[in-house]
């Protein structure tokens, strides 16, 4: 039965992973995501699961690859430079068509950076991050409840499409506490993992998990197969939220924690008689292009807000109608860099 809890966003991720059937976690501590391995180190062993603090982030992602190849549900998490260290392993997983969930609680960068909230990992996440021209599924929660719900969805989508999935949040969402309704895992029809490497009896066919294609035309065929899979994702799995866009003369668009602040600013604008709405992408890959295209048929004025110098704004400009105007307001990571609702309201007034 569902119950109401008061937990951190990071804890919600760990709880959802367990509910989704994940019994294998491999990670390495780094702020601001360390609540996730801390929770799972305590809760997985009594369930018969395995928690391993790897010697490094590189070790952790390759343990995830190995576990996934056997067909089990497994997860890793990190932040900032730790996610960068995982990129080669994520590329190998994508090349091997292996599912698996990676959680990125974004922090400031580049380099060592700091623990302040940031959304500057958008390009890294939505463009694959590593070598080889692949993509991964990227989900962007904006609440503790969505940290729970989208983590479970990430496992299902990853299994369904055999593509690694990332839950992309920032330190605001990861560290905040909110009420959460912890509901059971949804019943989802998923294909059997007949490709998994689990050992075989004599005479049974051999399964091989690899990302090496040396035969004539094999690599090109693989890329077109994955391209078709990404297209299917874009057709079937786009998710977004709209708030008061029906009559909007200006549509604010933001994801994650920034969208939460923008909602308050939009409410202030509505109280002032301004017709302003919100379009919040929940899937960052696939990006909900059709939502932007549809809204931009009537509204030609968009304001993109990010905790960076501008990354998602490029996808917004590619998605809206050609005659729509897209402006940008950003706050790069740093001490006190979170914008206030009043600050965003002022930006809305300038562009309305």
């Amino acid at each position: 039965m569902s119950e109401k809890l008061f937990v951190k966003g990071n804890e919600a991720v760990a709880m959802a992973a367990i509910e989704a059937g994940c019994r294998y976690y491999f990670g390495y501590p780094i702020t601001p995501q360390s609540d996730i391995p801390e929770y799972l180190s305590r809760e997985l062993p009594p369930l018969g699961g395995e928690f391993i603090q790897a010697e490094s982030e590189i070790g952790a992602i390759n343990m995830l690859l190995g576990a996934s190849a056997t067909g089990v549900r497994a997860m890793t998490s990190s932040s900032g430079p730790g996610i960068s260290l995982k990129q080669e392993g994520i590329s190998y997983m994508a090349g091997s068509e292996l599912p698996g969930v990676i959680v990125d609680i974004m922090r400031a960068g580049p380099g060592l950076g700091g623990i302040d909230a940031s959304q500057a990992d958008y390009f890294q996440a939505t463009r694959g991050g590593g070598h080889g021209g692949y993509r991964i599924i990227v989900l962007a929660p904006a609440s503790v409840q969505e940290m729970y719900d989208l983590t479970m969805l990430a496992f299902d989508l990853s299994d369904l499409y055999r593509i690694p999935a990332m839950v992309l949040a920032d330190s605001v969402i990861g560290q905040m506490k909110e009420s959460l309704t912890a509901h059971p895992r949804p019943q989802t029809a998923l294909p059997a993992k007949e490709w998994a490497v689990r050992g075989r009896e004599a005479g049974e066919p051999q399964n091989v998990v690899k990302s090496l294609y040396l035969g004539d035309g094999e690599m090109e065929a693989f890329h077109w197969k994955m391209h078709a899979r990404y297209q299917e994702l874009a057709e079937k799995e786009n998710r977004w939220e709209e708030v008061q866009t029906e009559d909007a003369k200006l549509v604010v668009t933001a994801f994650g924690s920034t969208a939460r602040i923008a909602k308050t600013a939009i409410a202030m604008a509505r109280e002032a008689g301004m017709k302003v709405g919100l379009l919040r992408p929940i899937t960052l890959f696939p990006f909900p292009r059709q939502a932007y295209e549809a809204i931009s048929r009537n509204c030609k004025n968009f304001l993109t807000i990010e905790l960076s110098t501008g990354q998602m704004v490029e996808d917004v400009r590619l998605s809206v109608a050609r005659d729509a105007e897209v402006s940008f307001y950003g706050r790069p990571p740093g001490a006190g860099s979170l914008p206030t609702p009043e600050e965003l309201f002022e930006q809305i007034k300038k562009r309305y």
Side-chain angles (χ1 to χ4, degrees):
M1 294 181 64
S2 300
E3 59 176 324
K4 188 79 75 173
L5 303 170
F6 188 61
V7 300
K8 280 186 174 184
N10 285 339
E11 293 170 333
V13 166
M15 294 166 57
I18 290 173
E19 180 62 32
C22 173
R23 294 296 181 268
Y24 300 90
Y25 174 89
F26 315 99
Y28 191 83
I30 183 173
T31 305
Q33 65 84 48
S34 294
D35 308 284
I36 298 172
E38 180 182 358
Y39 186 98
L40 292 172
S41 69
R42 181 179 69 244
E43 301 296 333
L44 276 179
L47 297 172
E50 293 289 342
F51 169 90
I52 296 180
Q53 179 173 311
E55 72 278 8
S56 68
E57 289 87 351
I58 296 171
I61 191 63
N62 284 286
M63 292 176 187
L64 177 64
L65 185 155
S68 176
T70 70
V72 301
R73 284 191 159 183
M75 183 176 84
T76 189
S77 63
S78 194
S79 180
I83 292 293
S84 294
L85 287 169
K86 294 179 187 289
Q87 292 304 326
E88 182 185 37
I90 296 173
S91 177
Y92 272 68
M93 290 181 68
S96 303
E97 299 181 66
L98 288 175
V101 173
I102 304 106
V103 181
D104 180 359
I105 307 299
M106 292 180 284
R107 58 184 267 171
L112 188 58
I115 63 173
D116 301 293
S118 171
Q119 294 181 328
D121 288 357
Y122 179 92
F123 280 158
Q124 183 188 51
T126 60
R127 270 56 177 177
H131 65 286
Y134 65 93
R135 296 292 184 95
I136 63 174
I137 299 161
V138 183
L139 305 174
S143 67
V144 171
Q145 184 67 56
E146 284 192 343
M147 290 284 266
Y148 185 88
D149 296 340
L150 295 183
T151 297
M152 284 203 280
L153 177 63
F155 278 102
D156 283 349
L157 292 180
S158 189
D159 278 350
L160 182 61
Y161 291 95
R162 290 182 62 184
I163 297 173
M166 176 174 284
V167 178
L168 187 70
D170 60 56
S171 59
V172 173
I173 305 296
Q175 291 295 322
M176 70 167 24
K177 276 193 171 185
E178 285 186 321
S179 62
L180 161 73
T181 300
H183 51 75
R185 171 186 170 188
Q187 295 298 313
T188 307
L190 296 170
K193 296 182 177 180
E194 298 177 350
W195 47 265
V197 178
R198 296 178 173 137
R200 64 189 179 106
E201 300 288 342
E204 289 184 346
Q206 182 183 39
N207 286 344
V208 178
V209 172
K210 64 173 185 174
S211 60
L212 183 67
Y213 302 96
L214 297 179
D216 186 27
E218 280 188 339
M219 181 59 80
E220 182 179 2
F222 169 80
H223 276 284
W224 284 119
K225 178 178 71 172
M226 296 309 297
H227 177 76
R229 200 172 298 175
Y230 303 147
Q231 293 296 108
E232 183 182 2
L233 261 175
E235 292 168 4
K236 296 180 178 178
E237 305 299 347
N238 278 311
R239 288 167 171 80
W240 68 90
E241 178 191 16
E242 294 182 37
V243 178
Q244 294 181 296
T245 59
E246 298 84 0
D247 64 343
K249 302 300 181 184
L250 171 66
V251 171
V252 175
T253 182
F255 72 96
S257 62
T258 311
R260 296 172 64 102
I261 305 169
K263 279 186 179 180
T264 303
I266 289 166
M268 296 166 66
R270 285 280 173 173
E271 289 178 4
M274 305 167 70
K275 294 181 179 179
V276 182
L278 173 72
L279 176 53
R280 175 176 70 95
I282 297 173
T283 52
L284 300 184
F285 186 82
F287 194 72
R289 297 179 184 275
Q290 66 267 48
Y292 287 89
E293 180 182 3
I295 290 175
S296 63
R297 293 188 193 121
N298 299 314
C299 179
K300 303 300 181 180
N301 193 8
F302 289 77
L303 170 60
T304 304
I305 301 172
E306 302 177 56
L307 294 181
S308 71
T309 55
Q311 296 185 17
M312 187 185 77
V313 64
E314 295 190 10
D315 284 334
V316 175
R317 287 175 175 146
L318 288 170
S319 301
V320 297
R322 294 177 63 184
D323 58 345
E325 181 179 347
V326 179
S327 54
F328 172 76
Y329 182 72
R331 291 291 302 273
S337 64
L338 283 178
T340 64
E342 292 77 13
E343 181 181 339
L344 297 188
F345 181 40
E346 289 300 315
Q347 296 299 318
I348 289 170
K349 288 192 291 185
K350 289 179 182 179
R351 292 162 173 83
Y352 187 74

